[in-house]
């Protein structure tokens, strides 16, 4: 498992949980499946930079917060 993907996934998960939204809600807001969000958060899928930007916008965080330590 690539440690960078693991860190990115954890950063997304923590930001999502802090915002208080489910994987299903996030998936709907960024036009992905809930499974895709789960795979991103567990480092089984590498999201495109455009999806990371979308996720940051929906979660109300700076993209740098999501890629911190990646």
């Amino acid at each position: 498992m690539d440690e960078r993907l693991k860190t990115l996934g954890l950063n997304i998960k923590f930001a999502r949980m802090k915002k208080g939204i489910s994987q299903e809600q996030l998936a709907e807001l960024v036009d992905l499946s809930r499974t895709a969000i789960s795979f991103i958060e567990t480092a089984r899928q590498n999201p495109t930079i455009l999806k990371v930007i979308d996720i940051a916008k929906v979660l109300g965080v700076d993209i740098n917060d999501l890629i911190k330590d990646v």
Side-chain angles (χ1 to χ4, degrees), residues 11-43:
N11 289 345
I12 290 171
K13 180 178 180 177
F14 291 139
R16 177 182 59 76
M17 293 176 76
K18 186 175 179 180
K19 182 86 171 177
I21 65 172
S22 67
Q23 287 182 341
E24 184 72 39
Q25 290 168 316
L26 178 58
E28 200 172 297
L29 292 167
V30 297
D31 196 30
L32 288 173
S33 69
R34 190 217 46 89
T35 302
I37 296 296
S38 174
F39 282 10
I40 291 168
E41 290 184 353
T42 58

